[in-house]
Amino acid sequence: MSKLERNWQYAEQYPGETDALVRARRLSLELGIEPVSRSIGAQLSAMTVLSRARTVCEVGTGVGVSGLSLLRYATDTTLTSIELEPEHLREARTVFADAGIPASRLRLIEGDARHVMPRLNLGAYDLVLLDAEPEQLLEFFEQALGIVRPGGCIIVPGAFAHGRVPDPAARDAATLACRDLLALVAESPAIAPVLSPAGDGVLTLVRLDG
């Protein structure tokens, strides 16, 4: 194992998770949902606090792993989370309730994010997390850019598409969508991008003023 691999493995286990997150992660795996990795969850927890996000929108609730991470240290933040699968959303409601998250801080919406996001208020969110179908990533990104405020950020976990993005031979739809987004934001004067190798890659995009 190389030093880089050891570093990555160490970072993936740091820091520990709350009991609620451990239970939610176990439930995700039981239902066949791939949650954000522990290191990405830690980045989400820190980013919410660092950006002083009071309003967060999430595409892809799952059963609440990323939502719990976003709210872990942010006691006044409200979360709007969109999920297509009704069973997942039912489980998420229980997960959030068991974790002691008040219903007043949650807006859980069942539906297709492509239809829900255009109905959200423009510039109303400090942070937007896109953790859903990668094939629709560019469409989600365009809509997220409308609802995030200037100075706010959009976070895209899974930016390496299970390690396929760096492989020039990989040409599947999900990989191409990730590559297209990475190329688009790298050249945009309206966005400050940063790509981290945590987990399966996490792309953080800050919407610049103007």
Side-chain angles (χ1 to χ4, degrees):
M1 182 182 294
S2 70
K3 288 183 179 179
L4 285 178
E5 288 171 327
R6 285 197 297 270
N7 291 347
W8 181 88
Q9 190 176 69
Y10 186 89
E12 280 303 307
Q13 304 302 318
Y14 180 87
E17 293 190 309
T18 63
D19 290 342
L21 272 166
V22 170
R23 289 194 296 269
R25 187 175 297 283
R26 186 180 302 121
L27 178 59
S28 295
L29 298 176
E30 290 172 359
L31 293 175
I33 303 168
E34 183 179 1
V36 296
S37 75
R38 283 177 57 171
S39 63
I40 292 180
Q43 289 197 27
L44 296 179
S45 300
M47 279 300 301
T48 307
V49 177
L50 185 63
S51 64
R52 299 183 179 179
R54 301 297 299 273
T55 53
V56 174
C57 179
E58 172 186 40
V59 177
T61 312
V63 297
V65 172
S66 50
L68 288 176
S69 298
L70 287 163
L71 299 178
R72 182 172 183 177
Y73 305 117
T75 56
D76 296 324
T77 300
T78 59
L79 174 67
T80 296
S81 191
I82 307 165
E83 174 58 50
L84 185 62
E85 296 294 336
E87 179 189 0
H88 298 171
L89 204 59
R90 284 195 298 271
E91 296 287 357
R93 292 184 192 279
T94 301
V95 165
F96 284 121
D98 290 347
I101 306 295
S104 59
R105 296 178 59 202
L106 297 170
R107 182 186 180 195
L108 303 181
I109 302 173
E110 181 186 329
D112 188 329
R114 292 174 297 177
H115 303 146
V116 174
M117 293 177 79
R119 302 201 301 267
L120 300 177
N121 292 332
L122 296 176
Y125 294 91
D126 301 310
L127 188 156
V128 179
L129 175 69
L130 302 180
D131 186 21
E133 296 82 356
E135 294 84 356
Q136 298 161 7
L137 188 54
L138 284 173
E139 185 175 356
F140 289 147
F141 167 70
E142 290 175 3
Q143 295 174 348
L145 202 56
I147 65 172
V148 72
R149 64 167 175 80
C153 62
I154 301 168
I155 301 178
V156 184
F160 290 151
H162 294 98
R164 295 189 300 271
V165 166
D167 178 6
R171 306 292 298 172
D172 59 280
T175 301
L176 292 175
C178 290
R179 284 197 191 118
D180 287 345
L181 178 61
L182 287 164
L184 175 67
V185 299
E187 302 299 329
S188 173
I191 297 165
V194 59
L195 179 61
S196 163
D200 186 38
V202 55
L203 177 63
T204 302
L205 311 168
V206 179
R207 179 186 169 190
L208 303 176
D209 293 330

